[in-house]
Amino acid sequence: MTTLTCSGSGTAAAVTKLAQNKIISFPKSPLFNLNGNKSKIVFPKLKLTPSVSRSPSDLSPGDPLSPSPSPSPESLKYRLQSNETLYGLFLLSFSPTLAEISGLAGYDFVVVDMEHGPGGISDALACLHALAATGTPAILRLPESCPTWAKKALDLGPQGVMFPMIDSPEAAKEAVSYCRFPPSGVRGSAHTVVRASGYGIDEGYLSNYEEELLIMCQVESEEGVKRAEDIAAVDGVDCVQMGPLDLSASMGYLWDPGHRKVREMMRVAEKGVLGGGKAYLAGFAMPHDAPLEMKSRGYHMVSGAVDVGLFRSAAVEDVARFKMNLTDDADDDDDDDDDAWRERIKDADDKYWSE
């Protein structure tokens, strides 16, 4: 039995009576004061102290820090500045469950893909919630580079935002302006109530959002490759993300992103970005271009998988192995059949890869 006992000093304590008349007293509550025989609940004033802005997708614990114009140690920008190579995954399914699994698996970041995935802003929010539960930074890839999509995405509070089809430094400057409040940019302001600022609770948001946000511009056309160095030099562009599939399509090799001419064009773009001296190089691993090979060429962010592709390959292999075993009368051939099927899956992945 639990009772509330009052003392003459005007304080209250919860007391629990256990067997054998043992009593446990819980800490006295500062919210409960007594005034004579009448009691009332008093809500103290909350004193908010400025702190370094935290993205809602990052739930890593830490002591409050004074607001300073530098990324927090948990952020993607800080890790890039520390010369880390980050490995991530693209989420096309918009499944919060797969988002959570991806975070628990240990990916450094997850890109929620609104360009090629079926979901929009509200669907992305559920995925950001799932990633936040694992402390995994989220990046939102926009359907198109425009102020409206950028505004709605940024209000959700991702650590990064990715702009597709950036072909010139002028387009890159516009993308950066979509991420900045006036007078530095054109982003619409609702910072007092949106998730990015902790719904207005984070008083340090306006002082630090520029330093916390990772702005990524995709180069995925021949024209973009020619201007890659200038795009990488634009103030505010943190990463240039290479798009091998759209680049191969623009060159007439839609079904062959590993074509020699496409690879040569990719190298031109890579040298341009690295020569710009400001932006980091990011990209997709391909069957002909492994993550470690990309790291050796200067990539600091590598996306090595797509959730839909991972599930597709696992599901197709599982069903095919079962059906092959049904028709296989010779147990001695099982290992050979498995090896043959794995080779077929590898060939299929070499021919098909989805951003």
Side-chain angles (χ1 to χ4, degrees):
M1 178 179 68
T2 302
T3 60
L4 183 66
T5 61
C6 302
S7 66
S9 62
T11 58
V15 178
T16 299
K17 183 176 289 187
L18 304 176
Q20 300 177 349
N21 294 323
K22 292 182 178 179
I23 294 177
I24 297 177
S25 295
F26 292 92
K28 298 177 181 180
S29 171
L31 300 181
F32 196 97
N33 291 335
L34 297 180
N35 182 11
N37 294 327
K38 297 181 180 180
S39 61
K40 63 178 180 179
I41 296 178
V42 179
F43 295 95
K45 291 184 178 180
L46 295 178
K47 184 178 181 180
L48 298 178
T49 57
S51 62
V52 169
S53 174
R54 294 285 194 271
S55 167
S57 65
D58 179 12
L59 294 187
S60 302
D63 295 329
L65 302 174
S66 60
S68 58
S70 60
S72 63
E74 300 90 356
S75 73
L76 294 173
K77 289 182 73 170
Y78 181 90
R79 296 182 66 186
L80 288 170
Q81 291 170 7
S82 300
N83 203 35
E84 292 189 46
T85 300
L86 307 179
Y87 187 68
L89 172 137
F90 267 60
L91 190 83
L92 265 72
S93 68
F94 279 78
S95 164
T97 298
L98 292 183
E100 188 174 27
I101 292 173
S102 301
L104 293 171
Y107 286 104
D108 294 311
F109 63 90
V110 170
V111 179
V112 181
D113 190 358
M114 295 192 296
E115 183 184 15
H116 291 297
I121 290 295
S122 58
D123 306 288
L125 178 58
C127 295
L128 263 63
H129 285 155
L131 291 168
T134 68
T136 304
I139 297 170
L140 292 182
R141 178 156 77 162
L142 306 184
E144 63 175 321
S145 297
C146 73
T148 302
W149 276 111
K151 174 174 57 180
K152 293 180 74 67
L154 292 170
D155 283 350
L156 294 186
Q159 275 204 25
V161 61
M162 186 182 298
F163 292 90
M165 292 292 181
I166 299 298
D167 296 331
S168 68
E170 291 76 20
K173 290 176 182 177
E174 287 185 350
V176 172
S177 75
Y178 303 156
C179 301
R180 303 282 191 255
F181 293 117
S184 302
V186 297
R187 178 182 172 185
S189 177
H191 61 275
T192 57
V193 292
V194 297
R195 184 174 184 266
S197 65
Y199 303 100
I201 295 174
D202 181 2
E203 290 188 338
Y205 177 71
L206 290 181
S207 301
N208 300 283
Y209 79 94
E210 291 187 16
E211 293 301 323
E212 293 290 317
L213 180 67
L214 187 76
I215 299 177
M216 307 179 71
C217 291
Q218 279 196 266
V219 169
E220 41 193 345
S221 68
E222 286 189 89
E223 183 61 28
V225 170
K226 295 175 183 177
R227 310 294 301 276
E229 184 171 355
D230 295 331
I231 292 172
V234 170
D235 185 41
V237 174
D238 300 301
C239 282
V240 173
Q241 171 89 20
M242 298 305 304
L245 288 188
D246 281 309
L247 176 60
S248 64
S250 73
M251 297 176 63
Y253 301 103
L254 176 62
W255 293 105
D256 191 10
H259 192 278
R260 174 182 58 82
K261 291 185 178 180
V262 178
R263 294 200 306 270
E264 290 174 353
M265 189 67 72
M266 286 283 291
R267 301 301 179 269
V268 171
E270 292 166 3
K271 291 179 181 178
V273 173
L274 295 174
K278 296 182 65 174
Y280 295 95
L281 185 60
F284 302 97
M286 302 286 285
H288 60 270
D289 199 9
L292 289 182
E293 294 178 3
M294 296 173 67
K295 179 180 183 297
S296 69
R297 297 202 307 273
Y299 281 83
H300 276 79
M301 295 184 75
V302 178
S303 298
V306 180
D307 65 331
V308 173
L310 288 175
F311 183 78
R312 175 208 66 213
S313 297
V316 170
E317 181 177 1
D318 181 56
V319 172
R321 181 182 291 111
F322 174 76
K323 291 184 177 180
M324 289 176 66
N325 288 337
L326 283 180
T327 59
D328 187 5
D329 296 328
D331 293 339
D332 293 340
D333 294 337
D334 283 352
D335 291 341
D336 293 338
D337 288 342
D338 285 349
D339 291 341
W341 177 248
R342 289 192 185 94
E343 191 62 29
R344 287 174 61 189
I345 286 292
K346 180 179 181 301
D347 290 342
D349 281 342
D350 285 348
K351 294 178 181 177
Y352 175 80
W353 189 91
S354 172
E355 292 185 17

